[in-house]
């Protein structure tokens, strides 16, 4: 059985999501480490003739080469028990080696040489410690590392006078630490957003799968019990009512879960918004696949449907039932709201508008018109056969 990281609870051989963001940066900067190492060796070959202790200088260069290889392997190797701890130790070792080599420059060269030239490991190779600190801990650590190494170089070369303002060491190291630190933080934030999107997508897919299974199983059985109970009558009617109530409660629960998955999204699934209005007297039918629309569009359609259902409750009669149907043709959405109540007498809508009652024109037709669609009352001239509204909302 695979062991786990104590701090994260992840298997040792599993990639760390937090490390995945900066792993490409760690690999890329090792190429820079190799280039700067070659430059440092070339600088050693060109300058060794000016050193007082040439043998000691070659020892320090050999130490630099060995440490470069070790640090490059450890910084890019991710299959360790605690990658973050390993990289922290390597970065600390980087600084110790860099500062030690800078401080050792007077041991191999006299004052006249190192006062006007680069220190033993060269400024370019010293930048590797700054880069590693920036990637590991961000821009503040990068800037602090750059200032520390620059101050050590200036102190060793004894240039704290006017020469310090003409030296580009500090600006270069600080700029590198700041830039790489910002890049590392940006990569981490992007990785976090990606992981969150993946989790939300997986959760939404799982909810959709469970909703389909519930629809194909439990909801169909409850619907069958309700229908058969009403057909049999007698004591079975109460059983049908209970089954209908549980069917509505289960549909509402599924709708609420689907609505939660849309939090923070610019496009939402219209189905749960409509299904939330389902009651034992209101039947809502929606497609099996998500119907994604803009959040404002979903709110306006839902509000228009709610207004139509309110009119059913107030005017269709005590025994009226309502039916809401959602269709997605690809080019437009079609929403119909009908009931089996007493209907609307001819001219009643115009009469209500003249009386100052703007419920229909504002809450229904006005909302749909604001979406670029149309709201049509199909039963305007039919009495006694209920009321049916049909909304057409273009997909664009």
């Amino acid at each position: 059985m695979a062991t786990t990281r104590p701090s994260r609870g992840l298997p040792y051989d599993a990639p760390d999501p937090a490390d995945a963001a900066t792993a490409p940066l760690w690999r890329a900067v090792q190429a820079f480490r190799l280039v700067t190492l070659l430059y440092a060796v070339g600088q050693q070959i060109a300058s060794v003739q000016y050193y007082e202790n040439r043998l000691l200088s070659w020892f320090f260069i050999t130490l630099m080469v060995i440490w470069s290889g070790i640090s490059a392997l450890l910084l890019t190797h991710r299959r360790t028990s605690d990658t973050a701890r390993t990289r922290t130790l390597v970065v600390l070792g980087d600084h110790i080696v860099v500062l030690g080599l800078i401080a050792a420059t007077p041991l191999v060269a006299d004052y006249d040489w190192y006062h006007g030239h680069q220190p033993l490991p060269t400024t370019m190779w010293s930048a590797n410690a700054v880069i590693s600190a920036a990637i590991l801990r961000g821009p503040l650590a990068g800037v602090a590392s750059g200032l520390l190494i620059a101050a050590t170089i200036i102190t060793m070369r004894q240039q704290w006078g006017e020469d310090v303002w003409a030296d580009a060491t500090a600006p270069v190291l600080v700029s590198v630490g700041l830039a790489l630190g910002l890049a590392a933080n940006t990569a981490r934030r992007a990785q976090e957003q990606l992981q969150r999107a993946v989790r939300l997508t997986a959760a939404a897919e799982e909810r959709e799968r469970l909703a389909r299974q519930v629809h194909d199983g439990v909801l169909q059985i409850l619907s069958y019990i309700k229908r058969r109970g009403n057909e049999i009558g007698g004591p079975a009617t109460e059983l049908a009512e209970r089954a209908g109530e549980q069917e509505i409660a289960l549909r509402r629960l599924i709708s609420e879960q689907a609505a939660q998955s849309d939090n923070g999204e610019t496009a939402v699934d219209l189905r749960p918004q409509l299904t939330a209005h389902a009651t034992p007297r209101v039947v809502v039918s929606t497609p099996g696949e998500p119907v994604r629309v803009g959040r404002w569009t979903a709110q306006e359609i839902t509000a228009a449907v709610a207004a139509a259902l309110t009119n059913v409750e107030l005017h269709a009669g005590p025994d009226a039932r309502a039916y809401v149907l959602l269709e997605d043709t690809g080019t437009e959405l079609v929403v119909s709201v009908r009931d089996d109540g007493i209907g609307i007498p001819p001219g009643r809508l115009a009469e209500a508008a003249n009386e100052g009652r703007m419920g229909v024109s504002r809450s229904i037709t006005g909302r749909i018109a604001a979406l670029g669609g149309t709201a049509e009352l199909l039963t305007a001239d039919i009495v006694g056969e209920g009321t049916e509204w049909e909304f057409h909302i273009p997909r664009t």
Side-chain angles (χ1 to χ4, degrees):
M1 182 177 64
T3 56
T4 59
R5 299 187 184 100
S7 61
R8 302 179 186 272
L10 297 174
Y12 281 146
D13 57 351
D16 188 352
D19 175 67
T22 56
L25 286 176
W26 286 115
R27 290 192 294 268
V29 297
Q30 302 320 309
F32 178 78
R33 186 184 293 268
L34 175 61
V35 172
T36 56
L37 177 63
L38 294 176
Y39 174 80
V41 172
Q43 189 72 15
Q44 164 70 11
I45 295 173
S47 303
V48 67
Q49 57 182 321
Y50 305 108
Y51 294 159
E52 293 183 343
N53 194 333
R54 300 178 183 180
L55 183 62
L56 185 60
S57 69
W58 281 112
F59 171 77
F60 288 145
I61 291 297
T62 303
L63 177 63
M64 185 193 309
V65 173
I66 294 174
W67 174 251
S68 295
I70 294 174
S71 59
L73 290 176
L74 292 177
L75 290 175
T76 56
H77 189 66
R78 299 174 56 190
R79 302 296 183 180
T80 59
S81 59
D82 195 337
T83 302
R85 181 174 180 273
T86 300
R87 287 177 175 165
T88 300
L89 294 176
V90 173
V91 172
L92 290 175
D94 246 347
H95 285 75
I96 293 173
V97 172
V98 168
L99 296 176
L101 290 175
I102 293 173
T105 303
L107 300 178
V108 300
D110 56 21
Y111 173 81
D112 292 336
W113 186 89
Y114 64 73
H115 180 71
H117 297 80
Q118 294 190 66
L120 187 61
T122 75
T123 303
M124 286 186 61
W125 191 86
S126 302
N128 287 285
V130 179
I131 293 173
S132 297
I135 296 177
L136 184 67
R137 292 288 182 248
L140 290 180
V143 171
S145 174
L147 290 174
L148 174 63
I149 294 177
T152 304
I153 293 175
I154 293 172
T155 300
M156 185 277 303
R157 296 172 63 181
Q158 300 180 20
Q159 291 182 331
W160 282 107
E162 296 181 358
D163 291 342
V164 69
W165 304 109
D167 192 352
T169 300
V172 168
L173 293 179
V174 170
S175 299
V176 168
L178 178 62
L180 268 295
L182 292 174
N185 281 356
T186 301
R188 290 190 185 96
R189 286 194 296 269
Q191 181 69 16
E192 291 174 0
Q193 293 175 356
L194 176 62
Q195 292 291 331
R196 181 175 180 272
V198 169
R199 289 194 298 269
L200 290 176
T201 301
E205 291 177 351
E206 181 64 15
R207 278 191 289 266
E208 287 294 329
R209 184 184 67 83
L210 292 176
R212 288 193 297 268
Q213 291 182 350
V214 170
H215 180 271
D216 295 339
V218 180
L219 290 179
Q220 289 186 356
I221 295 298
L222 291 175
S223 179
Y224 175 76
I225 293 174
K226 180 180 68 174
R227 186 174 65 255
R228 288 293 296 158
N230 289 327
E231 292 175 354
I232 295 174
T237 304
E238 182 180 358
L239 177 62
E241 292 178 357
R242 297 292 182 267
E245 293 173 357
Q246 294 303 312
E247 178 187 2
I248 296 302
L250 187 55
R251 290 185 185 276
R252 187 184 297 274
L253 176 62
I254 295 174
S255 300
E256 291 174 352
Q257 293 297 319
Q260 291 176 3
S261 66
D262 291 329
N263 289 340
E265 300 290 335
T266 56
V268 299
D269 188 357
L270 180 59
R271 299 177 305 164
Q273 313 276 352
L274 298 181
T275 308
H277 292 288
T279 68
R281 293 177 55 189
V282 178
V283 178
V284 180
S285 298
T286 60
E289 297 297 328
V291 180
R292 304 196 66 82
V293 296
R295 183 175 293 277
W296 179 70
T297 300
Q299 292 173 349
E300 293 299 289
I301 295 176
T302 304
V305 171
L309 293 176
T310 299
N311 287 336
V312 173
E313 182 178 357
L314 295 177
H315 307 298
D319 299 325
R321 295 172 59 87
Y323 305 87
V324 179
L325 175 63
L326 170 64
E327 297 178 272
D328 185 1
T329 65
T331 58
E332 67 174 0
L333 299 177
V334 181
V335 182
S336 63
V337 183
R338 65 182 180 87
D339 64 75
D340 54 7
I342 60 177
I344 300 177
R348 178 54 186 156
L349 292 181
E351 181 181 343
N354 293 332
E355 294 174 355
R357 301 178 182 180
M358 308 300 291
V360 171
S361 61
R362 288 183 178 176
S363 298
I364 299 180
T365 59
R367 292 182 184 274
I368 302 302
L371 299 175
T374 58
E376 183 179 2
L377 182 60
L378 302 180
T379 55
D381 298 326
I382 304 177
V383 181
E385 295 187 9
T387 304
E388 181 173 2
W389 283 97
E390 189 169 274
F391 310 146
H392 293 261
I393 303 95
R395 265 299 195 176
T396 56

